[in-house]
Amino acid sequence: MPSTLPSRLAILTAALVLTAGPVAAQSRDVDLDRFDGRWFEIARNPNDVQKDCRRAQIDFTPQSRADRYGLLVTCTRRADGGVETLRANARVTDTTTNARFRFTLAGLLSFGGLAGQNYWVWDHAPDYSWVIMGLPDKSGWWIWNRSQSPSESTRRQLLARASALGFDTANPVHTGR
């Protein structure tokens, strides 16, 4: 059965990343060669657009143009276990830090690039094993991990890190379990 526009936007939103102490600034040093590859969403804030997605996998692939990436987002729905996929494009919007992206839907749903959202890399592991992605105003956040099933300790540490960055982690949605 074809996916509806709201569910596709949910996947894009999904597509849309551990030290103690308060942290105010976003990441300033994203190595895009290490950022590309497969990610698994392990936690996010509750949101209506993505409420049926219980597991999201994000493949972040460099394209032929500099600072351009393709995204293939795969979402497994909670209700029936059905799988939805979405293709999107990402463009680096701050080439000094490589930490700011504009994600837009690919194909007919792109609406000429109008159906897009800005995402920032707020923090990442030195070895790129995890990343905290969020909207610029911090109203939405996602924790991505290279492992689909990190330990509970790792999950807790990453949620604490997101909280230290100023994200509201009081009611997280745990995914990828």
Side-chain angles (χ1 to χ4, degrees):
M1 175 185 334
S3 300
T4 63
L5 179 57
S7 63
R8 288 178 185 256
L9 290 174
I11 294 170
L12 176 61
T13 302
L16 315 135
V17 126
L18 296 178
T19 60
V23 178
Q26 74 168 111
S27 184
R28 301 227 178 266
D29 60 346
V30 176
D31 179 348
L32 295 172
D33 289 335
R34 298 182 72 196
F35 188 84
D36 63 0
R38 179 162 288 168
W39 294 95
F40 298 95
E41 178 191 274
I42 62 166
R44 66 171 183 269
N45 66 299
N47 62 70
D48 289 338
V49 177
Q50 205 178 354
K51 65 184 173 186
D52 191 40
C53 189
R54 70 174 167 90
R55 182 175 49 227
Q57 173 182 302
I58 304 95
D59 291 302
F60 196 84
T61 309
Q63 300 298 299
S64 58
R65 290 179 58 190
D67 305 324
R68 303 293 173 124
Y69 294 83
L71 284 89
L72 177 63
V73 182
T74 306
C75 174
T76 303
R77 294 189 305 263
R78 290 180 194 277
D80 61 6
V83 175
E84 297 177 347
T85 59
L86 175 80
R87 292 188 186 282
N89 298 307
R91 177 177 52 87
V92 177
T93 59
D94 178 357
T95 56
T96 302
T97 66
N98 293 327
R100 296 180 183 187
F101 296 90
R102 173 113 178 127
F103 292 1
T104 57
L105 297 169
L108 295 175
L109 295 176
S110 71
F111 302 110
L114 296 176
Q117 180 70 50
N118 293 317
Y119 293 87
W120 290 3
V121 176
W122 284 92
D123 200 5
H124 62 81
D127 66 355
Y128 289 80
S129 59
W130 58 263
V131 64
I132 298 173
M133 299 287 291
L135 299 180
D137 66 1
K138 296 188 179 181
S139 64
W141 57 269
W142 298 263
I143 299 174
W144 293 355
N145 198 289
R146 294 295 187 176
S147 169
Q148 185 174 350
S149 301
S151 70
E152 287 303 312
S153 173
T154 297
R155 287 175 181 272
R156 283 192 303 275
Q157 290 173 339
L158 289 171
L159 281 170
R161 183 68 178 154
S163 180
L165 287 165
F167 292 101
D168 179 0
T169 61
N171 189 25
V173 174
H174 293 277
T175 55
R177 288 185 170 168

